[in-house]
Every structure is written in C-alpha cells, then in structure tokens.
Amino acid sequence: MTIHLPQGPYEPRTTPLGLAPGGSPLASRTVFSAAHVVADPYADISPDSPAAVDWDATLAFRRHLWSHGLGVAEAMDTAQRGMGLDWAGAAELIRRSAAEAKSVGGRIACGVGTDQLTGPATLAEVRAAYEEQLALVEESGAQAILMASRALAAAAKGPEDYLETYAHLLRQASEPVVLHWLGPMFDPALDGYWGSSDLDTATGTFLKVIAEHPDKVDGIKISLLDAEREIDVRRRLPGGVRCYTGDDFNYPELIAGDDQGFSHALLGIFDPLGPLAAHAVRVLDTGDTQGFRDLLDPTVELSRHLFQAPTRFYKTGVVFLAWLAGHQDHFTMVGGLQSARSLPHLAKAYELADRLGLFPDPELAESRMRALLAVNGGTR
C-alpha cells in the first residue's frame, strides 16, 4: 500500500534481504561497528539530566552485531559520547558491554577520552583524565581506542603538546591501541586537532606520533570524510599499523582498496548496515571485490544522507532506523536528540533503507513510519 511521505508517494517493499546471523568469521578485513545506545523512554528526566539507558535493549543490539560477525566499537561518538552520554554513563556502558562481549566471544574496543573534565583543564589534567579512562577500559578486557579530546584541543598550544601527551599515553598503554582522529564535521570543538587547522601540517604530527611508537599502535581511525587523505595516510603508515576507515562517505572503495593496500573499518554506518556489511565482507573474503562493491556501493546514498551536515546529528538517523528495524520499541534518545533531524530527513532515511531491504520486517517498519508521520506531520 502506498505511503505518502513528505517527498512524495512511495510503495514499500514487502520482502527483506533476509540475512541470518552466523556465517564464517570475517577474514580479510577487521570490521567494527560503532554502536548506538538505547534510551529508557519512561525515565522522568530532562535533556540536561544524566542519560537514562535501557541496558537490556542496548546490550541486545550489541549481541545482534556480534551474531553477524562484526566487532563492536563501544562508547564512541555513535553512542552519543559527549552528546547526551557523559563519562559516568560511558563507564557503565564499557563495563557492561565488555562483560557481555566476554560472555558471547565478541570482539570489542572501547573509547578512551577526557569527558569527565568540565571547564578549562591543564595538560596535566588532560593526561590524568585519559589515564583514568584507559585504566578502566584495560581492566574491562577491551581494546582501547584513544579518542580525540575536546579538552586537549582547548589546552594544547601547538603540535608539541599533542606529541608529548600521546607519547605519555602510549607508554602507559599495556596493549596496542587505536588512535582516532575525529574531524570538526563530527565535533566542531576538535577544529585544529594535532596543533594546526592546516590538514597537511596536522597529518604530519599525527604520523609522527605513530612513527615514534609503532609497537603501541594497532591502527588508526580517520574520520575526516576525505578519501584521498585517508589513502595518503594509509600508504605512509609503518608496517603492521592498520588503517580503520571512519569515512562514512567513501567506505566501499576504501575497504576494497587498491594495489597498494586497503582499509579495515570502524564505522557508524555499520550500525544500521551490520548484517549487509558482514555479508559483503564475506564476499570480499572470497576475492570477489566486484561482488563486494555491488553489495555496498548502493548503501552509500543512505550513508551520505544520514551523515549530511550538520554531520554530528547522524546519530538521530541511526537510532531511527534501529527503531524501524525492530531493535528497540521506541524512538527516544538520550539528551532528547530524536528532535535533531527533520521529519523530511527521517522519511527519506526510511525510503532509502527500505529500498535496500534493511528492515527484517518491512510491515513493522512501514507501520512505525506511518505512526511517526501521523504524530509529527498530521495527514495530508
């Protein structure tokens, strides 16, 4: 039956892709999905209150990702870290998810930042905050992802402060970590990270950190939405250091790679694309690069839509699709972030995801889309 969306009438599909859990372990690429958190819709809180998380639904979604063979990147920006989820909430999320990963044999890596700091901080306070979080992640048994820090961006006077801070942290790490460079399109407070707003200069500092500590860097995650820069950095990495693409605009070509290398993946878009992404990588494992591209290239339109400017609000679309897909019973987000995207934006996300066959139950997705339209847009 036709559904009347803001962009025009649409005929929903009636059959899903039907990608079942299980399958062989992913072999040719290491793939993490950054995962969202599910809010408690009945918590009597305001947008300024600490996050109220539905832990059962949140952990169930992680089991969904693990069941398809993906790793989980926990307590990252996709989990609304710094946009509704504070450090206390993130710490609890890390503890619970790491324990869950251990119980099911799932791979997990967790974000280490400085978001327990409030207000201006000294470099010493930034280092101490990082150390506190690093200790918690390592104690949980998860791999550490050293995230970009708003506090460090504010305190650092130039590249040397970044070099000294990261050198200190890498010496403290007991196991190799992932370094995460998150661009200002995801968080405006990170403009000028690595000591310069000139990306060539910043890249030089970033690579210097890695070159001086290659034994402590498992890999890097670049989230700049700049495929050419990622490829350039990837080719300049020391041997044994991986590149995990964080480019939600160009991921199929970056993961497929070229004759000089490829990227692994740590992506927010693999939250809604999890089963399809895992299936595509298994095709790539057979050496069928074109088959991999045929599966993932059509998803780029949806990803670019979800991550359109202001990019930091992509989490709203991710959680919306999780609701339509039946992974949670409501469209409520911590911090009230469900209001961060317009009804036309969400309707287009529904259409693009439905065309891809992402919804396990297309009728449920259609019913929920109709309900959202009725409540928020009325009838036309």
Side-chain angles (χ1 to χ4, degrees):
M1 181 183 292
T2 300
I3 181 171
H4 292 277
L5 302 173
Q7 63 269 29
Y10 172 66
E11 295 289 337
R13 64 183 291 161
T14 58
T15 57
L17 286 177
L19 297 173
S24 58
L26 306 187
S28 63
R29 304 291 188 272
T30 300
V31 181
F32 290 96
S33 166
H36 74 278
V37 294
V38 182
D40 178 356
Y42 291 107
D44 186 11
I45 57 175
S46 71
D48 295 331
S49 302
V53 176
D54 180 337
W55 294 112
D56 290 341
T58 293
L59 294 176
F61 187 76
R62 281 136 182 81
R63 291 194 297 273
H64 155 72
L65 294 172
W66 285 318
S67 75
H68 286 276
L70 300 172
V72 168
E74 188 57 276
M76 304 290 289
D77 57 300
T78 303
Q80 293 179 245
R81 188 82 177 264
M83 288 185 67
L85 189 71
D86 62 11
W87 166 235
E92 183 68 12
L93 179 62
I94 289 166
R95 293 187 190 98
R96 288 176 180 258
S97 291
E100 195 73 15
K102 186 176 181 180
S103 72
V104 302
R107 183 165 185 168
I108 188 168
C110 298
V112 171
T114 63
D115 45 328
Q116 68 269 56
L117 297 172
T118 58
T122 66
L123 288 173
E125 290 169 333
V126 169
R127 288 194 298 270
Y130 263 129
E131 288 175 339
E132 176 190 355
Q133 296 198 17
L134 178 61
L136 185 146
V137 169
E138 291 189 335
E139 288 167 5
S140 76
Q143 184 179 15
I145 303 170
L146 292 186
M147 300 193 301
S149 162
R150 294 174 180 172
L152 179 56
K157 303 302 182 185
E160 287 302 320
D161 287 338
Y162 287 90
L163 292 169
E164 292 175 7
T165 299
Y166 277 89
H168 177 81
L169 294 170
L170 290 172
R171 287 193 296 268
Q172 298 292 313
S174 60
E175 300 291 340
V177 307
V178 176
L179 297 181
H180 185 193
W181 183 359
L182 190 70
M185 67 288 294
F186 289 93
D187 187 343
L190 298 176
D191 187 36
Y193 211 74
W194 304 110
S196 178
S197 294
D198 178 80
L199 286 179
D200 291 336
T201 302
T203 297
T205 303
F206 183 53
L207 287 169
K208 187 174 181 180
V209 169
I210 300 162
E212 292 179 351
H213 308 276
D215 59 321
K216 286 296 186 76
V217 181
D218 164 70
I220 63 167
K221 169 175 158 58
I222 303 178
S223 299
L224 298 176
L225 305 182
D226 183 339
E228 291 184 5
R229 184 165 298 278
E230 178 173 321
I231 292 169
D232 174 65
V233 172
R234 187 174 75 194
R235 291 174 178 173
R236 295 162 66 185
L237 292 174
V241 176
R242 310 181 198 199
C243 179
Y244 294 93
T245 187
D247 188 333
D248 300 277
F249 282 6
N250 304 292
Y251 51 94
E253 65 186 85
L254 292 165
I255 297 170
D258 54 33
D259 57 359
Q260 297 185 56
F262 57 82
S263 294
H264 300 272
L266 198 167
L267 288 162
I269 191 57
F270 282 3
D271 180 303
L273 292 184
L276 180 55
H279 175 60
V281 173
R282 290 189 177 95
V283 170
L284 186 61
D285 289 345
T286 70
D288 185 0
T289 302
Q290 188 57 54
F292 167 82
R293 294 295 299 268
D294 288 345
L295 286 165
L296 275 198
D297 282 358
T299 70
V300 171
E301 184 180 4
L302 171 64
S303 189
R304 286 177 174 260
H305 177 72
L306 295 181
F307 285 78
Q308 69 182 219
T311 302
R312 63 189 182 277
F313 294 128
Y314 76 88
K315 296 95 166 170
T316 302
V318 165
V319 174
F320 172 66
L321 294 181
W323 172 56
L324 294 184
H327 294 299
Q328 55 195 78
D329 295 330
H330 58 84
F331 180 39
T332 301
M333 298 176 66
V334 298
L337 205 64
Q338 67 271 12
S339 64
R341 291 295 202 189
S342 68
L343 185 61
H345 177 92
L346 297 174
K348 186 64 175 179
Y350 160 72
E351 178 184 344
L352 293 172
D354 186 68
R355 289 186 186 281
L356 292 168
L358 296 185
F359 301 127
D361 184 343
E363 289 185 5
L364 174 66
E366 179 187 344
S367 173
R368 290 183 170 182
M369 187 68 238
R370 289 184 184 277
L372 186 80
L373 289 168
V375 170
N376 292 279
T379 57
R380 290 188 176 182

